[in-house]
């Protein structure tokens, strides 16, 4: 069997792209274009690292990424192989884009413009601050017993961050460190829901919330939103939990006005429901300051979930859950039973970023960049743009009939899109695109928007 050691691989040390990402990208491209074929053997990580003059970790990380994406197969004790089903991507023209499934997280092929929401701009990191944080994580003992509430120092730092950034009147005693919003929501669901309970999710709304509630046995109840957010008058009285995104409704983009917040909390007090406030991208507002969090209006009825997924990236795996102390204790107990925890080193790294002000600096820089990208979308697609000047995505409203064809034709031209249709539980009632500008460069955002504009039928333009 041929050893593929003669592949033309190279790394660019001047590039801001991490070495492992470069190596993985070149191998992926070789498999995508058929230069590496199913069943072929790859060099060992040792051989690859020698060949490229990089550390063994770089080679291992690149392979791990490709394993995770399903490109590679490890046969125990006998090396690394291109997976049998690692077929080259079809050419853009032949690629079938399913409107409902268009957000499946396959990485975009090289050269494509990926305007699906969900990821921030990792090239904006201050790499010196990032490395310092991870060195601090590694210096400390790794054998501490996990605390279901999280590290006390980080809980203090997060409480401080929330008081400053979100005007949330919170002490460390109300904060639990999670692995992100999904993890926090699942812990709430595991504590409060089960067969025979009903849980509301905004419609359209975050798919993961529906799946999490359903996987804990609850009946999922779609709760309609309008351009400002959840419609309180349409909420049934028998929900145990309601999942909402009041700072920036996902995906429509509205901000729940104060009077409606008051009515929502009055509904929760009357019915006994717990309102889960997903504050996923509240750090990113480009016009006025964010409204104070719902949690601050009634800390007895609200659970606030936050995440670093939009500021640092989803694979960092860190978030927070803020809740009344008795509910937090119940969640911590359930968490212990589930043997669920947040990684200690990740908590230490994030504590360093917070302590040194690196996270705040990063957010300030990213706000400027995202505001510019959003302005490009408004420039290109202004009349169709909906939602607040916030976050890492906008909704582009289009007539129902236009969306599937537009997504397909954009796919044929190398632009990956997501739709509001895909975020419904029942029959779609809000139609259009959900454009993410977190992970595409400003130039790509412009390229993608130009393609969309060309594809909007003249009658709608
Ligand atoms: C509405 C919403 N909430 C939260 C998140 C982040 O979830 P997590 O912190 O689990 O990565 C996302 C990510 O895409 C999202 O779209």
């Amino acid at each position: 069997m041929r050893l593929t050691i003669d592949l033309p691989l190279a790394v660019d040390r001047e590039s801001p792209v991490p070495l492992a990402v470069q190596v993985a990208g070149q191998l992926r491209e070789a498999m995508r274009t058929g230069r590496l074929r199913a069943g072929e053997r790859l060099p060992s990580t040792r051989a690859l690292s020698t060949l490229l003059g990089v550390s063994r970790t770089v080679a291992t990380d690149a392979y791990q990424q490709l394993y995770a994406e399903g490109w590679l197969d490890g046969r125990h004790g006998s090396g690394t192989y291109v997976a049998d089903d690692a077929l080259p991507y079809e050419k853009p023209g032949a690629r079938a884009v399913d409107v409902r499934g268009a957000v499946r997280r396959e990485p975009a092929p090289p050269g494509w413009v990926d305007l699906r929401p969900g990821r921030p701009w990792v090239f904006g990191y201050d790499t010196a601050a990032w490395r310092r944080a991870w060195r601090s994580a590694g210096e400390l003992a790794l054998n501490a017993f996990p605390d279901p509430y999280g590290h006390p120092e980080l809980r203090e730092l997060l409480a401080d961050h929330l008081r400053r950034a979100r005007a949330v009147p919170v002490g460390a005693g109300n904060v639990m460190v999670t692995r992100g919003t999904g993890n926090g929501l699942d812990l709430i669901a595991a504590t409060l829901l089960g067969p025979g309970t009903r849980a509301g999710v905004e419609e359209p709304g975050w798919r993961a919330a529906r799946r999490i509630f359903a996987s804990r046995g609850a009946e999922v109840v779609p709760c309609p939103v309008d351009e400002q957010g959840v419609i309180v008058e349409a909420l049934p009285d028998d929900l145990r939990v309601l999942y909402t995104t009041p700072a920036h409704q996902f995906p429509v983009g509205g901000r729940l006005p104060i009077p409606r917040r008051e009515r929502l909390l009055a509904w929760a007090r009357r019915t006994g429901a717990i309102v889960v406030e997903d504050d996923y991208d509240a750090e990113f507002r480009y016009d006025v300051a964010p409204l104070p969090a719902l949690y601050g209006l009634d800390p007895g009825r609200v659970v606030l979930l936050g995440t670093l997924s939009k500021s640092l990236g989803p694979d960092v795996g860190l978030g927070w859950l803020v809740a009344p102390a008795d509910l937090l204790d119940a969640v911590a107990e359930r968490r212990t039973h589930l043997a669920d925890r947040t990684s200690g080193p990740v908590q230490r790294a994030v504590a360093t970023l917070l302590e040194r002000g690196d996270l705040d600096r990063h957010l300030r820089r990213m706000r400027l960049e995202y505001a510019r990208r959003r302005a490009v979308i408004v420039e290109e697609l202004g009349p169709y743009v909906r939602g607040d000047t916030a976050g890492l995505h906008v909704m582009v409203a289009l007539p129902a009939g236009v969306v599937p064809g537009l997504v397909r034709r954009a796919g044929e031209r190398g632009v990956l899109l997501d739709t509001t249709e895909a975020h419904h539980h029942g029959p779609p009632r809000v139609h259009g695109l959900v454009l993410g500008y977190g992970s595409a460069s400003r130039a790509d955002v412009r390229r993608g928007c130009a393609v969309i504009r060309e594809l909007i039928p003249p009658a709608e333009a």
Side-chain angles (χ1 to χ4, degrees):
M1 186 165 297
R2 183 167 77 93
L3 260 186
T4 52
I5 199 101
D6 54 347
L7 270 178
L9 300 174
V11 291
D12 174 4
R13 290 177 191 282
E14 304 297 315
S15 160
V17 181
L19 296 178
V21 176
Q22 293 184 31
V23 176
Q26 290 172 35
L27 288 170
R28 195 185 293 112
E29 176 71 359
M31 292 184 273
R32 196 182 68 77
T33 53
R35 270 185 296 140
L36 270 176
R37 288 169 195 277
E40 277 190 299
R41 185 173 181 185
L42 292 173
S44 67
T45 51
R46 186 188 299 277
L48 184 64
S49 59
T50 311
L51 180 77
L52 295 173
V54 296
S55 75
R56 185 101 176 259
T57 320
V58 168
T60 311
D61 287 352
Y63 278 7
Q64 266 171 0
Q65 177 62 31
L66 295 169
Y67 274 120
E69 292 172 13
W71 287 104
L72 300 183
D73 231 324
R75 296 181 200 160
H76 198 68
S78 72
T80 303
Y81 294 81
V82 181
D84 285 337
D85 53 358
L87 298 173
Y89 279 105
E90 289 156 16
K91 291 215 167 50
R95 190 183 166 97
V97 179
D98 164 17
V99 172
R100 283 223 155 200
V103 286
R104 235 185 99 212
R105 275 299 167 186
E106 281 172 31
W112 283 46
V113 175
D114 189 352
L115 294 183
R116 297 171 298 178
R119 274 179 308 146
W121 183 245
V122 293
F123 303 119
Y125 290 166
D126 168 353
T127 45
W130 182 250
R131 290 209 185 95
R132 189 164 53 224
W134 287 98
R135 268 199 307 278
S136 76
E139 273 162 18
L140 293 154
L142 296 178
N143 61 354
F145 203 73
D147 180 336
Y149 295 88
H151 287 190
E153 321 78 74
L154 181 55
R155 296 172 71 201
E156 288 286 354
L157 287 160
L158 286 172
D160 188 44
H161 175 73
L162 286 164
R163 281 193 299 268
R164 278 185 292 114
R166 301 295 292 119
V168 176
V170 69
N174 295 104
V175 178
M176 172 180 283
V177 186
T178 67
R179 294 191 305 282
T181 312
N183 177 225
L185 193 63
D186 187 45
L187 291 172
I188 287 293
T191 309
L192 296 178
L193 298 176
T197 58
R198 285 168 38 98
V201 177
E202 291 171 336
E203 173 79 346
W206 194 35
R207 266 178 303 208
R210 292 197 288 272
R211 292 179 186 145
I212 288 167
F213 288 166
S215 75
R216 293 291 177 185
E219 183 192 339
V220 175
V221 180
C223 300
V225 304
D226 60 19
E227 66 284 354
Q228 296 186 319
V230 70
I231 303 171
V232 178
E233 289 64 33
L235 293 172
D237 281 354
D238 59 352
L239 300 181
R240 181 97 179 81
V241 171
L242 170 69
Y243 164 87
T244 56
T245 47
H248 189 217
Q249 204 279 331
F250 186 85
V252 175
R255 171 177 35 172
L256 204 67
I258 297 281
R260 213 190 272 197
R261 289 173 186 235
E262 300 283 6
R263 293 208 302 282
L264 177 61
L265 293 169
W267 165 84
R269 283 189 290 269
R270 181 171 61 74
T271 64
I274 290 287
V275 178
V276 176
E277 173 178 28
D278 178 357
D279 213 32
Y280 64 108
D281 66 3
E283 294 87 354
F284 298 111
R285 288 212 68 93
Y286 315 117
D287 49 358
V288 293
L291 289 179
L294 203 59
Y295 180 88
L297 293 178
D298 190 344
R301 290 249 65 88
V302 180
V303 172
L304 179 140
L305 299 177
T307 181
L308 290 184
S309 288
K310 302 290 173 181
S311 43
L312 294 182
D315 74 337
V316 173
L318 194 122
W320 46 94
L321 183 161
V322 182
D326 52 346
L327 177 55
L328 201 72
D329 290 343
V331 173
E333 193 180 331
R334 190 82 178 100
R335 191 177 204 193
T336 306
H337 290 164
L338 294 168
D340 185 272
R341 72 196 65 145
T342 307
S343 149
V346 171
Q347 294 188 66
R348 284 192 281 274
V350 170
T352 304
L353 290 173
L354 280 166
E355 217 166 15
R356 301 187 57 114
D358 292 329
L359 186 67
D360 281 347
R361 268 189 292 281
H362 176 71
L363 289 172
R364 279 199 294 277
R365 265 201 320 276
M366 288 296 95
R367 259 179 228 125
L368 289 177
E369 175 56 29
Y370 293 141
R372 290 191 188 117
R373 290 184 199 177
R374 193 178 188 286
V376 168
I377 298 182
V378 173
E379 229 175 279
E380 297 282 338
L381 300 170
Y384 309 98
V385 169
R386 300 285 180 276
D388 267 40
T389 311
L392 306 187
H393 76 272
V394 295
M395 182 187 152
V396 170
L398 292 170
V402 167
V403 177
L406 190 149
V407 171
R408 194 184 57 250
R409 296 213 302 284
E412 289 165 2
R413 294 177 58 179
V415 179
L416 279 178
L417 299 174
D418 184 19
T419 68
T420 51
E421 277 79 351
H423 298 281
H424 285 76
H425 182 61
R429 41 183 287 280
V430 181
H431 301 282
L433 306 173
V434 189
L435 294 189
Y437 46 92
S439 62
S441 68
R442 221 179 306 161
D444 274 354
V445 169
R446 193 175 290 284
R447 265 206 301 155
C449 288
V451 167
I452 295 169
R453 207 188 42 222
E454 279 173 37
L455 291 175
I456 296 177
E460 317 296 341

